[in-house]
Structure formats: C-alpha cells, structure tokens
C-alpha cells in the first residue's frame, strides 16, 4: 500500500467516460485463444494490452495507459484485481485469503455477482465469478493524447450454468482505462426465447488506510437493507448519516442510490464511483469476522438488487461504473 503518494498522482486530466469510443487499433477475432501466447498473438497490443500468466498460472490481461495508470484482470471470473495510478498507488484490495487456482472465486479486486447477488437459491453471488470468461476484443487508441486501452470479455451459458440459471445468455464485460480512471461496463443479453430475471453487482474491494478513517458519502436519506444481523431477513432502515463510517460489521444495501458515491480512504483521497444502470449501492466491511484484513478495505459495490433486472428475448440490460481518485482536501 502506498497511499502516501496518492495525492501527487491526481492530475485529473481524465474526463468521466462510461466506455472508450471506437478505437483506431482494434484486435477482434472469433477463434478462442487458450494460452497466453495465443492471447497475445490474437489480441495483444504491445505496450497497451498484454496477456500474461498471473498467480497460480491463471491467465490475466494487463492494461497500460500512456499516462502511467494500469489495470489487471484475471479471465477467471473476469476479476479486475489491480488498478494503479501513475504514481504506482494501488486502489483496489485483494484479501490475503484470496486464491488464484480456480478452486474458488478470487476474493478481492472487483468480482462479479451474477446472475444472483444473494442470498438466494444459487451459490453465493452466482456463478460468473467462478468461470473462465473468453476474450472477444481489445483496443487501444494510437493517439498519444488519449490512449485508452480496453479489453472485452464474454461469458455465455454452459451445461454448468443452465443447471442453476436455465436460460441462454451472453454477458459482455468491457474494462478500459481512461487516463487515470477505470471504466467497467457490463451488458447482459438474453439469447434465449423466454424472458429472464437476475440480480447482479460489481463487488468492488477498495483499499483504505484504516477502516476507522473510512467514510462513504452520498447515501444520506436513502432506504437501506441492513443485512448485518441476518442476511436472509434484512432490516429496512433509513440512512441519517452524511458520512457512513465503520464501527462494526457492516452489510447494507442502499436502494435507488445516486449515480455518484464516494469512499474516503483516510489519506485525503476518495475513490469516486460514477455509475449508470446499477441503481443500488452495497457497503460491506466484515469487521472482526475477518480479523486479518478488515482494517484494510471496504467494499462499495454497484448493484442491481432491490428491483431485479428483467430481460426479454433478444433484449439486453447494461450498466457502467467509472472509478476515479478525488482529492478531498481541496
Ligand atoms: O456484498 C456483501 C456480501 O454479500 C456480504 O453479505 C458478505 O457475505 C460478502 O458479500 C461475501 O463475499 P464473499 O466474496 O466472501 O463471498
């Protein structure tokens, strides 16, 4: 963790952008690449989009922006595990108990919850976080003033998913760097001949200096489901705090939250989440149930939970979030 230099990296040159525009350099092929060498051959853009073996040999993609920011995403779970500022400061958090051998979902970064946020009949947070996603396209703009690297991955139904979610679907996840900002866009297409419902979230783990110093703003006045006592029968409450702080186990689903929410991380910096389509915000800190690490992170999750998404055959649902670093001392 190197938040001490975080403020010096806030050049704020980047503009909010839900998704990178069409790029001049684009690599799209239809053949499924299985090794890192093949992935680089088919989709790699040297210096901007590179594939490598990550931990436990699990393939990952590294995005590098010309401004010096970077991001890493494992294809297993399409889990973004790193987003760094040009200073080298890491913004995301990966729990010390995280494993990368595909025996369980990666615990940290930005795991997917789809097609169930939970709790519910399916495994906790659905199956998207414990399946390999397939690369569909990459791009990077050769214009040196605005060189946005992007990777798009897809997940479709399989015998495994059909047992839990009996529908054909295509989930398309696009991750890009716009300057120092991280953009994540999820689109779920119904490729079946009957409608389906789902709930979803991006379970974003953000590193904090110390949980006692962390504050989430933008939630005052909202109705929330407090899952702290019993996640299956949450209590409905109304948030009266300007700043949500953490003095114990916290697991709250804020319904109809605003598009802009911030997490102050305790260093004078905040991580802003600007979203569209997600509708709800989940705030989670495990407190003493995870003694080894609860001090170091807070999850602020964009979710579609209160009102599940309903998608008709041939239709799609989409949502975006842009994460950026904000200087709250100014
Ligand atoms: O998003 C919050 C939450 O649903 C909590 O209820 C808690 O169970 C947590 O996620 C679990 O996440 P994990 O990645 O450990 O399955």
């Amino acid at each position: 963790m190197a938040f001490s230099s975080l403020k010096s990296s806030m050049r704020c040159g980047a503009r909010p952008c839900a998704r990178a525009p069409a790029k001049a350099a684009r690599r799209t092929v239809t053949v499924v690449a299985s090794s890192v060498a093949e992935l680089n051959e088919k989709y790699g853009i040297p210096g901007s989009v590179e594939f490598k073996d990550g931990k436990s040999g699990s393939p990952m993609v590294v995005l590098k922006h010309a401004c010096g920011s970077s991001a890493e995403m494992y294809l297993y779970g399409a889990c973004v595990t790193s987003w760094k500022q040009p200073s080298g400061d890491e913004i995301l958090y990966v729990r010390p108990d995280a494993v990368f051998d595909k025996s369980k979902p990666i615990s940290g970064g930005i795991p997917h919850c789809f097609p169930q946020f939970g709790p519910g009949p399916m495994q906790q947070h659905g199956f998207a976080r414990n399946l390999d996603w397939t690369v569909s396209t990459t791009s990077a703009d050769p214009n040196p003033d605005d060189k946005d690297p992007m990777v798009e991955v897809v997940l479709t139904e399989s015998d495994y998913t059909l047992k839990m979610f009996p529908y054909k679907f295509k989930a398309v996840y696009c991750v890009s760097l716009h300057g120092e900002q991280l953009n994540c866009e999820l689109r779920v297409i119904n490729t079946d001949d009957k409608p389906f419902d789902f709930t979803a979230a991006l379970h974003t783990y953000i590193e904090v200096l110390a949980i006692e110093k962390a504050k989430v703003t933008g939630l005052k006045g909202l109705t929330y489901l407090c899952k702290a006592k019993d996640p299956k029968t949450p209590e409905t409450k109304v948030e009266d705090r300007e700043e949500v702080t953490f003095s114990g186990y916290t697991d709250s689903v804020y319904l109809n939250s605003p598009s802009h929410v911030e997490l102050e991380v305790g260093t004078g910096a905040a991580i802003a989440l600007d979203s569209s389509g997600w509708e709800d915000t989940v705030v989670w800190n495990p407190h003493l149930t995870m003694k080894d690490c609860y001090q170091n992170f807070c999850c602020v999750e964009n979710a579609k939970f209160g009102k599940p998404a309903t998608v008709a055959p041939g239709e799609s649902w989409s949502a975006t979030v842009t994460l950026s670093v904000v200087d709250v001392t100014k």
Side-chain angles (χ1 to χ4, degrees):
M1 146 142 172
F3 272 114
S4 52
S5 58
L6 194 54
K7 280 193 275 174
S8 64
S9 72
M10 291 178 211
R11 287 190 276 105
C12 289
R15 307 169 301 281
C17 165
R19 179 173 176 175
K23 298 301 180 189
R26 182 172 279 269
R27 304 287 303 269
T28 308
V29 285
T30 46
V31 183
V32 174
S34 52
S35 72
V36 161
E38 277 181 304
L39 286 164
N40 275 318
E41 170 69 23
K42 291 173 177 151
Y43 301 105
I45 303 174
S48 297
V49 182
E50 293 174 1
F51 294 84
K52 65 178 199 179
D53 285 319
K55 292 183 181 165
S56 298
S58 187
M60 58 149 51
V61 56
V62 182
L63 304 180
K64 289 184 188 157
H65 194 279
C67 76
S69 66
S70 65
E72 294 178 356
M73 181 176 77
Y74 280 81
L75 300 187
Y76 179 70
C79 186
V80 176
T81 51
S82 171
W83 165 43
K84 285 184 181 163
Q85 294 296 281
S87 59
D89 289 323
E90 178 60 70
I91 307 301
L92 302 181
Y93 185 77
V94 176
R95 281 169 23 199
D97 59 314
V99 295
F100 296 81
D101 61 3
K102 305 189 182 184
S103 60
K104 63 171 196 156
I106 297 170
S107 299
I110 312 183
H112 284 269
C113 304
F114 172 82
Q116 172 192 281
F117 177 68
M122 228 176 275
Q123 56 190 287
Q124 168 80 341
H125 294 329
F127 50 68
R129 64 179 184 161
N130 56 275
L131 288 172
D132 286 314
W133 292 54
T134 304
V135 180
S136 54
T137 186
T138 58
S139 69
D141 193 330
N143 174 354
D145 292 331
D146 189 16
K147 195 176 179 179
D148 290 354
M150 180 280 273
V151 61
E152 185 184 273
V153 291
V154 298
L155 182 71
T156 53
E157 77 284 352
S158 63
D159 290 346
Y160 173 74
T161 69
L162 286 165
K163 279 184 201 143
M164 290 171 266
F165 184 66
Y167 306 99
K168 294 183 191 165
F169 70 93
K170 183 175 182 183
V172 182
Y173 189 47
C174 177
V175 175
S176 65
L177 286 169
H178 184 63
E180 296 162 10
Q181 298 176 328
L182 179 72
N183 294 319
C184 304
E185 177 182 340
L186 178 65
R187 191 153 54 96
V188 177
I189 305 155
N190 184 340
T191 53
D192 212 318
D193 55 12
K194 48 192 181 296
F196 60 62
D197 293 343
F198 66 86
T199 54
L202 292 179
H203 198 299
T204 306
Y205 286 74
I206 297 169
E207 184 167 351
V208 298
L209 187 63
I211 195 65
E212 293 79 17
K213 293 177 189 278
K215 298 169 191 165
V216 183
T217 55
L219 304 173
K220 189 176 178 187
L222 298 184
T223 297
Y224 69 101
L225 307 175
C226 176
K227 293 163 80 182
K229 284 195 190 130
D230 178 5
K232 289 191 179 144
T233 49
E235 298 170 85
T236 301
K237 298 185 176 182
V238 175
E239 184 57 77
D240 58 7
R241 294 169 293 177
E242 202 74 58
E243 297 176 331
V244 173
T245 51
F246 301 87
S247 53
Y249 185 87
T250 303
D251 190 357
S252 307
V253 183
Y254 291 87
L255 303 171
N256 298 312
S257 53
S259 58
H260 179 90
V261 170
E262 287 187 11
L263 168 66
E264 287 188 34
V265 298
T267 62
I271 308 308
L273 295 95
D274 289 282
S275 63
S276 68
W278 280 110
E279 293 177 12
D280 308 320
T281 298
V282 181
V283 176
W284 178 60
N285 179 269
H287 200 57
L288 296 175
T289 62
M290 291 190 188
K291 284 196 188 71
D292 292 351
C293 62
Y294 80 96
Q295 275 284 340
N296 306 325
F297 77 90
C298 175
C299 285
V300 180
E301 311 166 30
N302 295 101
K304 175 78 176 145
F305 177 71
K307 213 169 84 194
T310 300
V311 190
E315 300 288 312
S316 67
W317 170 90
S318 64
T320 68
V321 63
T322 297
L323 281 78
S324 46
V325 179
V326 177
D327 185 346
V328 285
T329 63
K330 284 181 183 162

